[in-house]
Amino acid sequence: MGRRDRPTRMDRRVRERRRSVSRERGRRRAGLVLLVVVALAGAALFVWLRSSDVFAVSRIVATATGHVSEEEISRATAESRGVSLLRLSTGSVEDALLSLPYVRSAEVRRRFPDTLEVRLVEYEPVARLEAGGSGAWLVAEDGRALEKCSASKVTGLQVSALPLVVPPNEVAPVAGRQLPKMIVAVLPLAAMLAANEGAQRGPEVDRIEVSAGGSVMVKLKDGAELRLGDPTELKQKLMVAIDIVEQYLRDGRHVQYVDASVPDRVAVKAE
């Protein structure tokens, strides 16, 4: 009797195992079907939201700026208004903002349900560029033309205090565009003077002149010339020249020029 019952119990276990496997497969298939349905529903919802005005941009907020006006930001971002945040290309908006002369970097973020957040980093003027008939222009340290000097102050900055760079030939700056390399090469010197790293130690600077060959000369307001040669090691050359000017001034003598083109072989002419 026990021997005949053993195969029967074994068959029952096999059948139960098969039913269990079948139920598990059924649950997996049902789960996959549910996932597909959810995915399709999500895709359909996304397409609908993307084409609807539920997340349409109606507000644009920007960080406080010193040079870029609200009107400029509004114009640069105008095409994004009314566009769904789901369809909007933040890269395109950033490119439009970067075209503004004073914008060094731009970051645009979506803020659901209807807002674009704009974060800007601005250029700061370090010099004035003499541009012939078009007057003087404000320029950034990397050579970007910012705007024409049309006022004595720009957001609290005393424009006349910025060094004046005089190129060998007339240039025609365009706001937001780069200046010629010859001018760009001397702008770190202008930035240094604007920050009073050199000017605070000696007489006031009148201008920075660039020759046709690229040589740099700083002309002081008392008429002295600091001849710095090619635009390399400008800080070292300037410090050497100013030290010499100060030494002669302490001795009651006026310097006509200091030639520091080669810092360790300086030539001086004084009265």
Side-chain angles (χ1 to χ4, degrees), residues 9 15 32 60 65 80 85 105 116 123 182 192-193 199 245:
R9 287 196 297 271
R15 287 195 297 272
L32 288 174
I60 297 174
T65 55
S80 63
L85 289 172
S105 67
L116 275 188
Y123 283 101
M182 181 182 295
M192 183 171 62
L193 292 172
V245 170

Side-chain angles (χ1 to χ4, degrees), residues 227 244 248 253-259 267-271:
R227 302 173 184 178
I244 292 173
Y248 274 78
R253 302 177 65 187
H254 176 260
V255 173
Q256 292 186 6
Y257 72 79
V258 177
D259 190 336
V268 183
K269 183 177 182 181
E271 297 175 348

Side-chain angles (χ1 to χ4, degrees), residues 62-111:
T63 53
T65 55
H67 304 291
V68 182
S69 68
E70 291 182 4
E71 290 76 14
E72 288 177 306
I73 295 173
S74 180
R75 286 196 299 270
T77 58
E79 293 187 1
S80 63
R81 290 189 178 275
V83 179
S84 172
L85 289 172
L86 298 175
R87 284 194 298 117
L88 182 72
S89 169
T90 56
S92 297
V93 181
E94 289 169 354
D95 288 342
L97 290 164
L98 287 170
S99 68
L100 299 176
Y102 271 99
V103 176
R104 178 187 289 272
S105 67
E107 181 182 5
V108 176
R109 295 183 178 182
R110 301 176 179 89
R111 290 289 180 261

Side-chain angles (χ1 to χ4, degrees), residues 88-215:
L88 182 72
S89 169
T90 56
S92 297
V93 181
E94 289 169 354
D95 288 342
L97 290 164
L98 287 170
S99 68
L100 299 176
Y102 271 99
V103 176
R104 178 187 289 272
S105 67
E107 181 182 5
V108 176
R109 295 183 178 182
R110 301 176 179 89
R111 290 289 180 261
F112 288 92
D114 61 356
T115 302
L116 275 188
E117 182 181 291
V118 175
R119 298 183 180 183
L120 301 179
V121 176
E122 295 179 296
Y123 283 101
E124 291 297 332
V126 298
R128 294 170 293 146
L129 174 67
E130 189 174 275
S134 64
W137 277 69
L138 295 176
V139 297
E141 186 174 355
D142 68 352
R144 188 178 177 104
L146 299 175
E147 66 174 313
K148 187 176 178 180
C149 296
S150 56
S152 60
K153 288 187 177 181
V154 175
T155 61
L157 175 70
Q158 192 71 36
V159 172
S160 61
L162 294 176
L164 177 66
V165 177
V166 182
N169 305 303
E170 185 173 333
V171 294
V174 177
R177 301 284 183 84
Q178 288 295 112
L179 297 167
K181 292 181 180 180
M182 181 182 295
I183 298 171
V184 176
V186 304
L187 291 177
L189 176 63
M192 183 171 62
L193 292 172
N196 289 326
E197 291 183 30
Q200 67 181 0
R201 296 183 51 198
E204 292 184 81
V205 173
D206 179 59
R207 60 180 58 202
I208 302 170
E209 296 183 1
V210 185
S211 72
S215 293

Side-chain angles (χ1 to χ4, degrees), residues 217-220 222-227 255-259:
M217 181 185 74
V218 176
K219 192 164 186 177
L220 305 180
D222 65 0
E225 297 177 354
L226 310 182
R227 302 173 184 178
V255 173
Q256 292 186 6
Y257 72 79
V258 177
D259 190 336

Side-chain angles (χ1 to χ4, degrees), residues 2 14 54 131 177 212 240:
V14 171
V54 174
R177 301 284 183 84
V240 169

